């Protein structure tokens, strides 16, 4: 395969990862599935490049959430003050459970052992969704380096395993 095609593909991989961080229908797993088929000799490089783009995009979400945490706190306090003054309307049981689950997840993120496990699970398995965990970690002001490392390891592991399974399946089929 020509070097220029591999280089162009790497730039495309980074851009795909970056765009998938902002536009969920561009699913990063799809790229990991396609990389061994399109670039059979260099799929590891392409998956790493795509993961780098994805993590850079997620880091931008993290930073924005971190910077907006103070404004978020002020708005929430004002909302809670308004809600305390107004009569409460009953919410459904599903909404109540989701609210409790979201609060519990955010509360756990700043714990020294459970927080990184939630981040690793989110990036390696996809549950809870990485987009939600990213914003929640930014709001909780989790250590940025810790978030970056754990997210990179989890995402890279998930995408490398996915692409390896495709590459392995292709080699068994020949």
């Amino acid at each position: 395969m020509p070097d220029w095609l591999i280089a162009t593909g790497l730039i495309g991989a980074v851009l795909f990862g970056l765009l998938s961080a902002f536009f969920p229908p561009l699913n990063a797993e799809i790229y990991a599935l396609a990389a061994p088929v399109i670039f059979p000799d260099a799929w590891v490089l392409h998956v790493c490049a795509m993961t780098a783009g994805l993590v850079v995009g997620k880091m931008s979400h993290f930073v924005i959430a971190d910077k907006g945490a103070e404004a978020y706190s002020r708005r929430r306090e004002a909302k809670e003050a308004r809600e305390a003054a107004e009569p409460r309307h009953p919410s459904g049981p599903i909404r109540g459970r989701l609210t409790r689950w979201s609060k519990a997840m955010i509360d756990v993120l700043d714990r020294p052992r459970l927080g990184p496990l939630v981040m690793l699970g989110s990036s390696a398995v996809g549950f809870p969704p990485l987009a939600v965990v990213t914003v929640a970690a930014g709001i909780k002001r989790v250590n940025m380096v810790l978030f970056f490392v754990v997210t990179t390891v989890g995402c890279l592991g998930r995408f490398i395993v996915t692409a390896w399974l495709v590459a392995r399946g292709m080699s068994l089929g020949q």
Side-chain angles (χ1 to χ4, degrees), residues 42-115:
W43 64 265
V44 173
L45 282 173
H46 288 269
V47 170
C48 289
M50 184 273 301
T51 302
L54 176 75
V55 172
V56 166
K58 293 298 179 186
M59 288 305 297
S60 70
H61 294 145
F62 178 91
V63 169
I64 290 167
D66 182 35
K67 298 297 180 195
E70 185 178 330
Y72 171 81
S73 295
R74 280 184 279 151
R75 281 194 308 258
R76 186 168 181 96
E77 288 170 5
K79 181 181 175 186
E80 287 173 355
R82 282 193 312 270
E83 288 176 352
E86 296 174 2
R88 186 146 173 96
H89 299 287
S91 62
I94 294 173
R95 183 175 182 176
R97 275 188 240 140
L98 286 174
T99 301
R100 285 190 304 274
W101 179 79
S102 297
K103 184 178 179 344
M105 183 181 68
I106 289 171
D107 289 343
V108 164
L109 283 173
D110 61 352
R111 292 190 184 165
R113 288 192 178 91
L114 291 177

Side-chain angles (χ1 to χ4, degrees), residues 150-162:
V150 170
T151 302
T152 301
V153 167
C155 287
L156 189 58
R158 178 174 71 189
F159 299 139
I160 289 288
V161 167
T162 301

